[in-house]
């Protein structure tokens, strides 16, 4: 019997910013099987955000990253749902517009937009209002990440609340993998993700 | 993606202020021109609109171009697009296209207002002014793209300065070539002609060349004096239009190259 292909396989990832004296992230290898959760923890500046960005190819990185059998960056990124740390990306668009844009780019069906907004707890009147400048609207990033039910969910510093916990549980329940980066996780988030934890200290696994 | 970009730009308040302010300025220009001597009405309207296109258009082009890639990258919008699997070059190209569409829409609103004013003054549609608007649109688009290319690696203010530098250089190249052709810059003529063959150039419309030659262009095109000699800047030919268009591609490629390794 063949083993199931890992949802995410990272080998020897190193993220080095231009001009930086040392690697922001180094020596990270990890594998997430279907239904797995992973907590990435560490102090501010430990490299949690850089790790997520490196996995997605959003920052210069070396090493190999595979989602399923395909290498990242590449078309397999459509199977990844990413929630950045801040909601400021949505400025000027309404939650429905930004989630709809992500859904189109990811090839997700249109009805998924309403479902993701609903599951993210964004109330109907707010869905169609443009996000004002410098305003964090909780869970817009989460709705962007979950639309289309991606195989891999990467959440950077999400709110530690029932909406996030439910999203993690849904993703794992349908066989997806979830990677959550937070400074310190509460007991509920730890329980939702399972026992696996990668603690970063100065960009390296502790 | 272009639609999303245009949609976001359409919600910037300063662009609406600019879109509404242009026709207001044109109305004031027309009212002042209507109060002048009959033969000068057309010149006054054209000079006023040309000044609006120069100063207002430059501010809009720098405002749009300077924040093309840096701000949206820092705020995570472009990272969110890239995380869906869209390649970086398409992200850059569509972002640039959205900014160009916004600039074109702004200039189109101002141009329509200018034609309405011309008609209201009993002059009918003003063909030379339309040609001048198109010429300015090309120069302003070049400025926007230069600022946008810089915005892939530096912040909004520095990018706007880079765009302004290209605008000034393009204007200087056109003016210095005219001075070289008039034989008023001596031995510098050789290097100036070499620069003229390569660098982007301001597209001088027949209308503005005529107004400048008669010294009635106002702030849009004051007369140029070099070594106490008046320089006549001729209208641009097709070569200038095409060379400047080719520089669009150069700046777009520079934007793509600068964006290639940017953290999103």
């Amino acid at each position: 019997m063949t083993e199931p292909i890992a949802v995410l396989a990272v080998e020897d990832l190193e993220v080095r910013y231009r001009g930086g004296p040392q690697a922001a992230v180094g020596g990270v290898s990890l594998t997430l099987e279907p239904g797995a959760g992973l907590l990435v923890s560490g102090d501010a500046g430990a490299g949690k955000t850089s790790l997520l960005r490196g996995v997605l190819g959003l920052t210069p990185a070396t090493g190999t990253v595979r989602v399923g059998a395909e290498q990242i960056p590449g078309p397999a990124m459509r199977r990844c749902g990413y929630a950045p740390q801040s909601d400021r990306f949505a400025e000027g668009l309404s939650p429905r517009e930004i989630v709809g844009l992500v859904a189109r780019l990811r090839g997700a069906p249109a009805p998924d937009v309403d479902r993701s907004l609903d599951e993210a707890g964004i109330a109907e009147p707010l869905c169609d209002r443009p996000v004002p400048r410098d305003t964090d609207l909780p869970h817009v990033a989460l709705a962007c990440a979950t639309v289309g039910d991606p195989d891999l969910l990467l959440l950077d510093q999400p709110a530690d609340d029932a909406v996030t916990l439910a999203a993690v549980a849904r993703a794992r329940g349908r066989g997806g993998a979830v990677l959550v980066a937070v400074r310190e996780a509460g007991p509920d988030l730890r329980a939702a993700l399972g026992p696996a934890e990668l603690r970063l200290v100065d960009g390296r696994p502790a | 993606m272009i639609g999303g970009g245009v949609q976001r730009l359409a919600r910037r308040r300063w662009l609406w202020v600019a879109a509404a302010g242009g026709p207001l300025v044109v109305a004031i220009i027309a009212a002042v021109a209507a109060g002048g001597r009959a033969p000068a009405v057309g010149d006054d309207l054209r000079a006023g609109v040309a000044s609006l296109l120069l100063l207002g258009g430059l501010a809009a082009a720098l405002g749009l171009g300077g924040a093309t890639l840096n701000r949206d990258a820092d705020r995570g919008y472009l990272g969110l697009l890239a995380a869906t699997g869209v390649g970086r070059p398409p992200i850059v190209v569509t972002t640039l296209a959205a900014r160009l569409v916004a600039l074109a829409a702004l200039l189109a609103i101002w141009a329509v207002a200018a034609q309405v004013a011309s008609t209201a003054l009993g002059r009918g549609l003003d063909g030379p002014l339309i040609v001048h608007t198109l010429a300015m649109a090309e120069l302003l688009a070049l400025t926007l793209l230069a600022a946008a290319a810089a915005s892939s690696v530096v912040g909004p203010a520095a990018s706007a300065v880079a765009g302004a530098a290209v605008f000034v250089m393009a204007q200087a190249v056109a003016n210095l070539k005219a001075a070289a052709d008039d034989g008023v810059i001596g031995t510098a003529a050789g290097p100036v002609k070499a620069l003229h063959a390569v660098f982007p150039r301001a597209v001088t419309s027949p209308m503005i060349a005529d107004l400048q030659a008669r010294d009635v262009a106002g702030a849009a095109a004051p007369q140029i004096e070099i070594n106490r000699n008046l320089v006549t800047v001729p209208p641009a030919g097709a070569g200038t239009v095409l060379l400047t268009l080719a520089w669009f591609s150069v700046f777009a490629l520079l934007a793509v190259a600068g964006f290639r390794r940017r953290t999103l």
Side-chain angles (χ1 to χ4, degrees), chain A residues 142-189:
Chain A
L142 185 68
C144 288
T146 57
V147 69
D149 294 334
D151 296 340
L152 174 64
L153 210 51
L154 300 116
L155 311 180
D156 192 359
Q157 209 73 44
D160 192 352
D161 59 15
V163 172
T164 302
L165 297 177
V168 170
R170 271 193 306 274
R172 292 186 65 195
R174 64 165 191 275
V178 183
L179 194 157
V180 177
V182 289
R183 203 180 292 187
E184 282 296 337
D188 293 341
L189 185 57

Side-chain angles (χ1 to χ4, degrees), chain A residues 3-179:
Chain A
E3 282 185 24
I5 297 175
V7 176
L8 175 68
V10 177
E11 278 177 49
D12 204 19
L13 184 77
E14 181 176 296
V15 175
R16 187 179 288 273
Y17 292 109
R18 204 176 340 185
Q22 61 186 41
V25 174
V28 173
S29 297
L30 57 93
T31 304
L32 292 183
E33 304 292 344
L38 174 67
L39 173 68
V40 178
S41 62
D43 294 336
K48 304 181 296 294
T49 296
S50 296
L51 171 63
L52 263 61
R53 287 174 169 170
V55 165
L56 288 167
L58 301 182
T59 194
T62 58
T64 55
V65 179
R66 288 180 187 280
V67 170
E70 296 178 75
Q71 199 145 344
I72 295 279
M77 288 169 79
R78 293 173 71 168
R79 294 159 55 197
C80 305
Y82 170 56
Q85 195 168 345
S86 158
D87 286 334
R88 291 168 72 209
F89 64 83
E91 178 196 311
L93 291 176
S94 70
R96 195 186 305 282
E97 288 165 343
I98 186 78
V99 176
L101 176 62
V102 171
R104 278 199 304 281
L105 295 175
R106 208 181 276 155
D112 278 15
V113 174
D114 287 339
R115 181 165 61 84
S116 288
L117 288 166
D118 185 44
E119 288 173 351
I122 301 169
E124 191 56 44
L126 289 176
C127 286
D128 295 309
R129 272 186 218 155
V131 178
R133 191 173 188 166
D134 294 330
T135 302
D136 273 6
L137 194 57
H139 302 135
V140 176
L142 185 68
C144 288
T146 57
V147 69
D149 294 334
D151 296 340
L152 174 64
L153 210 51
L154 300 116
L155 311 180
D156 192 359
Q157 209 73 44
D160 192 352
D161 59 15
V163 172
T164 302
L165 297 177
V168 170
R170 271 193 306 274
R172 292 186 65 195
R174 64 165 191 275
V178 183
L179 194 157

Side-chain angles (χ1 to χ4, degrees), chain B residues 22-35 41 43-52 117 121:
Chain B
L24 195 65
V25 171
V26 170
I28 294 168
I29 291 166
V32 172
V41 169
D43 285 349
D44 289 349
L45 178 67
R46 288 175 172 183
V49 172
S51 299
L52 169 69
L121 290 173

Side-chain angles (χ1 to χ4, degrees), chain A residues 91-92 130-135, chain B residues 6-22 60 64 71 106 110:
Chain A
E91 178 196 311
V131 178
R133 191 173 188 166
D134 294 330
T135 302
Chain B
V6 172
Q7 215 169 13
R8 294 178 80 231
L9 289 170
R11 301 222 169 104
R12 300 272 160 89
R13 198 169 298 156
W14 74 267
L15 270 175
W16 284 104
V17 170
L64 284 166
R71 193 164 288 163
L106 196 62
W110 295 358

Side-chain angles (χ1 to χ4, degrees), chain B residues 6 10 15-16 18-20 23 64 97-113 137:
Chain B
V6 172
L15 270 175
W16 284 104
L64 284 166
R99 302 262 159 175
L100 288 173
V101 167
L103 179 67
L106 196 62
L107 295 178
I109 290 168
W110 295 358
V112 168

